[in-house]
Amino acid sequence: MKKIFIIAVAFISAIFIGIFVINIYEVDTTVTQEITKVGLLLNGTKDDGNWCQSHYDGLQKTASQLNLEIHLRENVAAENVTTNIDELISKGCEIIIANSFEFGDGVKESAEKYPEIYFFHATGVEKGKNFSSYFGRMYQIRYLTGIVAGLQTKTNQIGYVAAYPISEVNRGINAFTLGVRAVNPDAVVHVKWCNSWTDDAATRKAAEALFDEYPVDVVAMHPDSLRVLELAEERGVWSIGYNLDNAKEFPETYLTAPVWQWENYY
Protein backbone atom coordinates (compact mmCIF):
# COMPACT_ATOMS: atom_id res chain seq x y z
CA MET A 1 0.00 0.00 0.00
CA LYS A 2 1.26 3.45 -0.87
CA LYS A 3 0.46 6.56 1.11
CA ILE A 4 -0.45 9.65 -0.86
CA PHE A 5 1.96 12.59 -0.83
CA ILE A 6 -0.57 15.07 0.57
CA ILE A 7 -0.07 13.38 3.94
CA ALA A 8 3.18 15.20 4.55
CA VAL A 9 1.57 18.50 3.63
CA ALA A 10 -1.29 17.98 6.08
CA PHE A 11 1.05 16.95 8.86
CA ILE A 12 3.34 19.93 8.38
CA SER A 13 0.37 22.27 8.22
CA ALA A 14 -1.01 20.74 11.40
CA ILE A 15 2.23 21.51 13.21
CA PHE A 16 2.29 25.15 12.18
CA ILE A 17 -1.35 26.24 12.16
CA GLY A 18 -3.19 23.82 14.46
CA ILE A 19 -2.71 26.17 17.40
CA PHE A 20 -3.26 29.91 17.39
CA VAL A 21 -0.71 31.80 15.35
CA ILE A 22 1.36 33.55 18.00
CA ASN A 23 4.32 35.86 17.54
CA ILE A 24 7.02 35.27 20.12
CA TYR A 25 8.80 38.34 21.40
CA GLU A 26 11.56 38.75 23.93
CA VAL A 27 10.48 41.21 26.60
CA ASP A 28 12.11 42.59 29.70
CA THR A 29 10.31 41.17 32.71
CA THR A 30 10.93 40.44 36.34
CA VAL A 31 8.53 37.48 36.35
CA THR A 32 11.25 34.89 35.78
CA GLN A 33 13.41 36.11 38.67
CA GLU A 34 11.30 34.01 41.02
CA ILE A 35 9.75 30.57 40.62
CA THR A 36 6.07 30.59 39.73
CA LYS A 37 4.11 27.52 40.80
CA VAL A 38 1.60 26.23 38.26
CA GLY A 39 -1.01 23.57 38.94
CA LEU A 40 -1.91 21.31 36.00
CA LEU A 41 -5.07 19.18 36.09
CA LEU A 42 -5.24 16.37 33.53
CA ASN A 43 -8.21 14.10 32.85
CA GLY A 44 -5.74 11.34 31.93
CA THR A 45 -2.03 10.72 32.28
CA LYS A 46 0.96 12.82 31.27
CA ASP A 47 2.27 10.02 29.02
CA ASP A 48 -0.97 8.98 27.28
CA GLY A 49 0.49 9.65 23.82
CA ASN A 50 -2.51 11.86 23.25
CA TRP A 51 -4.31 14.98 24.52
CA CYS A 52 -2.92 15.03 28.05
CA GLN A 53 0.65 14.50 26.97
CA SER A 54 0.38 17.31 24.44
CA HIS A 55 -0.40 19.73 27.30
CA TYR A 56 2.16 18.29 29.69
CA ASP A 57 4.97 18.33 27.12
CA GLY A 58 4.12 21.84 26.00
CA LEU A 59 4.04 23.17 29.55
CA GLN A 60 7.32 21.44 30.39
CA LYS A 61 9.01 23.21 27.48
CA THR A 62 7.58 26.50 28.71
CA ALA A 63 8.62 25.86 32.30
CA SER A 64 12.33 26.04 31.55
CA GLN A 65 11.90 29.40 29.82
CA LEU A 66 9.65 31.04 32.40
CA ASN A 67 11.05 29.55 35.62
CA LEU A 68 7.88 27.59 36.37
CA GLU A 69 7.43 24.80 38.89
CA ILE A 70 4.74 22.42 37.65
CA HIS A 71 2.50 20.64 40.17
CA LEU A 72 0.74 17.83 38.32
CA ARG A 73 -2.55 16.06 39.04
CA GLU A 74 -3.41 13.15 36.75
CA ASN A 75 -6.66 11.22 36.15
CA VAL A 76 -8.73 13.98 37.73
CA ALA A 77 -12.49 13.34 37.75
CA ALA A 78 -14.88 16.24 37.17
CA GLU A 79 -16.38 15.90 40.65
CA ASN A 80 -12.93 16.28 42.22
CA VAL A 81 -11.78 19.39 40.38
CA THR A 82 -12.41 21.89 43.20
CA THR A 83 -10.75 19.63 45.79
CA ASN A 84 -7.65 19.29 43.64
CA ILE A 85 -7.55 23.02 43.03
CA ASP A 86 -7.84 23.75 46.77
CA GLU A 87 -4.86 21.48 47.42
CA LEU A 88 -2.77 22.99 44.61
CA ILE A 89 -3.40 26.52 45.84
CA SER A 90 -2.49 25.46 49.38
CA LYS A 91 0.89 24.43 47.95
CA GLY A 92 1.42 27.92 46.57
CA CYS A 93 0.20 27.58 42.99
CA GLU A 94 -0.60 30.97 41.49
CA ILE A 95 -1.81 29.64 38.14
CA ILE A 96 -4.17 26.71 37.55
CA ILE A 97 -4.46 25.01 34.16
CA ALA A 98 -7.28 22.50 33.54
CA ASN A 99 -7.24 20.50 30.33
CA SER A 100 -10.71 19.02 29.89
CA PHE A 101 -14.15 20.31 28.93
CA GLU A 102 -15.93 18.65 31.85
CA PHE A 103 -13.74 20.56 34.32
CA GLY A 104 -15.57 23.79 33.46
CA ASP A 105 -17.99 24.02 36.39
CA GLY A 106 -15.32 23.26 38.95
CA VAL A 107 -12.84 25.73 37.46
CA LYS A 108 -15.47 28.47 37.34
CA GLU A 109 -16.40 27.85 40.97
CA SER A 110 -12.78 27.95 42.06
CA ALA A 111 -12.06 31.10 40.05
CA GLU A 112 -14.81 32.87 41.94
CA LYS A 113 -13.48 31.52 45.24
CA TYR A 114 -9.87 32.57 44.54
CA PRO A 115 -9.94 35.94 42.71
CA GLU A 116 -6.16 36.37 43.15
CA ILE A 117 -5.36 33.12 41.28
CA TYR A 118 -5.26 32.88 37.47
CA PHE A 119 -7.22 30.03 35.85
CA PHE A 120 -6.89 28.65 32.33
CA HIS A 121 -9.38 26.12 30.95
CA ALA A 122 -8.60 24.31 27.71
CA THR A 123 -11.68 23.73 25.49
CA GLY A 124 -13.86 25.66 27.94
CA VAL A 125 -16.61 28.16 27.22
CA GLU A 126 -16.57 30.40 30.32
CA LYS A 127 -14.48 33.45 31.17
CA GLY A 128 -13.99 35.97 33.95
CA LYS A 129 -11.55 38.54 35.35
CA ASN A 130 -9.14 35.79 36.42
CA PHE A 131 -10.51 32.98 34.23
CA SER A 132 -9.69 32.33 30.58
CA SER A 133 -10.86 29.58 28.21
CA TYR A 134 -8.81 28.70 25.16
CA PHE A 135 -8.53 26.39 22.18
CA GLY A 136 -7.17 26.56 18.63
CA ARG A 137 -8.57 26.47 15.13
CA MET A 138 -8.09 22.74 14.87
CA TYR A 139 -11.08 22.45 12.56
CA GLN A 140 -8.83 23.87 9.83
CA ILE A 141 -6.48 20.92 10.19
CA ARG A 142 -9.39 18.49 10.48
CA TYR A 143 -10.43 19.72 7.04
CA LEU A 144 -6.98 18.88 5.66
CA THR A 145 -7.05 15.39 7.17
CA GLY A 146 -10.47 14.93 5.59
CA ILE A 147 -8.84 15.57 2.24
CA VAL A 148 -6.29 12.88 3.06
CA ALA A 149 -9.05 10.43 3.98
CA GLY A 150 -11.12 11.25 0.90
CA LEU A 151 -8.20 10.60 -1.41
CA GLN A 152 -7.03 7.47 0.40
CA THR A 153 -10.30 5.54 0.69
CA LYS A 154 -11.13 2.82 -1.84
CA THR A 155 -14.48 1.78 -0.36
CA ASN A 156 -15.76 5.36 0.09
CA GLN A 157 -16.66 4.34 3.64
CA ILE A 158 -14.79 6.38 6.25
CA GLY A 159 -15.09 5.99 10.02
CA TYR A 160 -14.84 8.51 12.86
CA VAL A 161 -14.75 7.55 16.55
CA ALA A 162 -15.78 10.49 18.74
CA ALA A 163 -16.07 11.13 22.47
CA TYR A 164 -19.05 13.44 23.14
CA PRO A 165 -21.40 15.46 20.89
CA ILE A 166 -20.13 18.83 22.12
CA SER A 167 -19.17 21.83 19.98
CA GLU A 168 -15.44 21.05 20.09
CA VAL A 169 -16.01 17.56 18.71
CA ASN A 170 -18.89 18.36 16.37
CA ARG A 171 -17.05 21.08 14.48
CA GLY A 172 -14.11 18.71 14.02
CA ILE A 173 -16.37 16.06 12.51
CA ASN A 174 -18.03 18.62 10.25
CA ALA A 175 -14.73 20.06 9.06
CA PHE A 176 -13.30 16.60 8.44
CA THR A 177 -16.39 15.63 6.41
CA LEU A 178 -16.20 18.82 4.35
CA GLY A 179 -12.58 17.96 3.56
CA VAL A 180 -13.59 14.47 2.49
CA ARG A 181 -16.36 15.78 0.24
CA ALA A 182 -14.09 18.40 -1.33
CA VAL A 183 -12.09 15.65 -3.05
CA ASN A 184 -14.50 12.71 -2.98
CA PRO A 185 -18.22 13.58 -3.10
CA ASP A 186 -19.17 9.88 -3.11
CA ALA A 187 -17.52 9.11 0.23
CA VAL A 188 -19.54 8.75 3.44
CA VAL A 189 -18.33 9.46 6.99
CA HIS A 190 -19.79 7.18 9.69
CA VAL A 191 -19.55 8.34 13.32
CA LYS A 192 -19.56 6.17 16.45
CA TRP A 193 -19.64 7.70 19.93
CA CYS A 194 -17.70 6.19 22.82
CA ASN A 195 -19.12 8.70 25.36
CA SER A 196 -15.80 9.01 27.14
CA TRP A 197 -12.52 10.80 26.72
CA THR A 198 -10.24 8.30 28.42
CA ASP A 199 -12.05 4.95 28.72
CA ASP A 200 -9.95 2.56 26.62
CA ALA A 201 -12.54 -0.22 26.68
CA ALA A 202 -15.37 2.08 25.55
CA THR A 203 -13.20 3.54 22.82
CA ARG A 204 -12.20 0.15 21.46
CA LYS A 205 -15.81 -1.07 21.61
CA ALA A 206 -16.96 1.92 19.55
CA ALA A 207 -14.20 1.31 17.01
CA GLU A 208 -15.05 -2.39 16.77
CA ALA A 209 -18.73 -1.58 16.21
CA LEU A 210 -17.75 0.87 13.48
CA PHE A 211 -15.50 -1.60 11.69
CA ASP A 212 -18.01 -4.43 12.00
CA GLU A 213 -20.96 -2.40 10.72
CA TYR A 214 -19.34 -0.63 7.78
CA PRO A 215 -16.57 -1.53 5.29
CA VAL A 216 -14.47 1.45 6.39
CA ASP A 217 -10.90 1.55 5.15
CA VAL A 218 -9.95 4.87 6.78
CA VAL A 219 -10.75 5.98 10.34
CA ALA A 220 -10.28 9.25 12.24
CA MET A 221 -10.68 9.85 15.96
CA HIS A 222 -11.44 12.34 18.74
CA PRO A 223 -11.17 10.58 22.12
CA ASP A 224 -8.11 10.74 24.41
CA SER A 225 -7.41 7.05 23.86
CA LEU A 226 -5.19 5.32 21.32
CA ARG A 227 -7.39 2.23 21.05
CA VAL A 228 -8.80 3.40 17.72
CA LEU A 229 -5.30 3.47 16.23
CA GLU A 230 -4.43 0.11 17.78
CA LEU A 231 -7.50 -1.60 16.33
CA ALA A 232 -6.91 0.01 12.94
CA GLU A 233 -3.38 -1.40 12.94
CA GLU A 234 -4.73 -4.86 13.83
CA ARG A 235 -7.31 -4.81 11.04
CA GLY A 236 -5.30 -3.08 8.34
CA VAL A 237 -7.45 0.07 8.30
CA TRP A 238 -5.79 3.40 7.51
CA SER A 239 -5.87 5.69 10.53
CA ILE A 240 -5.73 9.42 11.23
CA GLY A 241 -4.71 10.29 14.77
CA TYR A 242 -5.03 13.41 16.90
CA ASN A 243 -3.06 15.59 19.34
CA LEU A 244 0.38 13.98 18.90
CA ASP A 245 2.24 12.26 16.07
CA ASN A 246 2.00 8.51 16.71
CA ALA A 247 3.36 7.34 13.35
CA LYS A 248 6.18 5.33 14.93
CA GLU A 249 3.76 3.40 17.15
CA PHE A 250 1.49 2.42 14.22
CA PRO A 251 3.81 2.24 11.22
CA GLU A 252 1.66 0.10 8.93
CA THR A 253 -1.59 2.07 8.85
CA TYR A 254 -0.98 5.56 10.29
CA LEU A 255 -1.54 8.32 7.73
CA THR A 256 -1.32 11.67 9.51
CA ALA A 257 -2.72 13.69 12.41
CA PRO A 258 -3.63 17.20 13.46
CA VAL A 259 -1.20 17.90 16.32
CA TRP A 260 -0.77 20.56 18.99
CA GLN A 261 2.26 22.54 20.06
CA TRP A 262 0.88 23.96 23.28
CA GLU A 263 4.18 25.57 24.26
CA ASN A 264 3.36 28.29 21.72
CA TYR A 265 0.33 29.24 23.81
CA TYR A 266 1.68 28.62 27.29
Side-chain angles (χ1 to χ4, degrees):
M1 294 185 287
K2 293 184 178 180
K3 300 181 182 180
I4 51 181
F5 289 106
I6 196 172
I7 293 171
V9 177
F11 179 71
I12 292 171
S13 300
I15 292 176
F16 286 104
I17 63 174
I19 187 74
F20 302 108
V21 177
I22 297 174
N23 291 319
I24 305 300
Y25 299 96
E26 284 193 20
V27 296
D28 292 326
T29 177
T30 59
V31 172
T32 57
Q33 291 180 3
E34 297 182 358
I35 294 174
T36 301
K37 295 183 179 181
V38 178
L40 175 61
L41 275 63
L42 301 178
N43 64 333
T45 62
K46 66 180 182 180
D47 57 354
D48 66 352
N50 208 311
W51 172 250
C52 291
Q53 186 173 339
S54 72
H55 285 275
Y56 179 77
D57 288 353
L59 197 56
Q60 285 295 324
K61 294 175 183 177
T62 307
S64 61
Q65 299 173 6
L66 299 181
N67 200 12
L68 306 179
E69 181 179 297
I70 310 302
H71 292 255
L72 176 65
R73 295 298 176 93
E74 299 176 275
N75 295 310
V76 176
E79 61 269 22
N80 297 326
V81 167
T82 56
T83 300
N84 277 273
I85 290 175
D86 289 342
E87 293 173 354
L88 289 169
I89 292 175
S90 72
K91 294 181 180 296
C93 290
E94 302 174 59
I95 297 172
I96 302 294
I97 296 174
N99 85 320
S100 190
F101 180 84
E102 69 267 23
F103 292 170
D105 290 341
V107 175
K108 182 180 180 181
E109 179 181 335
S110 294
E112 294 171 351
K113 181 179 179 181
Y114 299 105
E116 75 285 2
I117 304 298
Y118 293 100
F119 293 84
F120 294 86
H121 182 206
T123 77
V125 295
E126 298 285 352
K127 64 180 180 179
K129 291 183 178 180
N130 62 327
F131 179 18
S132 177
S133 297
Y134 60 100
F135 200 57
R137 297 187 178 96
M138 191 54 84
Y139 54 85
Q140 295 175 339
I141 316 305
R142 291 286 192 185
Y143 181 87
L144 294 180
T145 60
I147 292 175
V148 172
L151 293 174
Q152 188 74 16
T153 182
K154 302 302 181 186
T155 65
N156 286 337
Q157 303 290 304
I158 298 170
Y160 201 113
V161 178
Y164 296 102
I166 59 176
S167 58
E168 170 198 345
V169 180
N170 290 341
R171 65 174 171 255
I173 296 170
N174 292 340
F176 177 82
T177 304
L178 288 172
V180 170
R181 290 177 177 173
V183 296
N184 188 346
D186 296 327
V188 178
V189 178
H190 303 283
V191 179
K192 286 291 183 182
W193 303 94
C194 54
N195 295 308
S196 174
W197 293 117
T198 58
D199 189 326
D200 288 338
T203 302
R204 184 179 177 92
K205 183 178 180 180
E208 289 175 342
L210 184 67
F211 293 169
D212 291 342
E213 187 172 350
Y214 304 102
V216 300
D217 58 354
V218 183
V219 64
M221 54 170 280
H222 193 161
D224 302 344
S225 169
L226 299 181
R227 294 299 179 266
V228 177
L229 304 181
E230 290 179 1
L231 186 64
E233 188 86 348
E234 293 173 14
R235 298 201 181 187
V237 175
W238 293 113
S239 66
I240 294 173
Y242 184 41
N243 298 311
L244 292 180
D245 176 19
N246 286 291
K248 292 182 180 179
E249 286 72 27
F250 308 101
E252 300 300 321
T253 56
Y254 196 89
L255 290 172
T256 188
V259 304
W260 296 102
Q261 287 187 320
W262 285 113
E263 60 269 24
N264 293 337
Y265 178 75
Y266 290 131

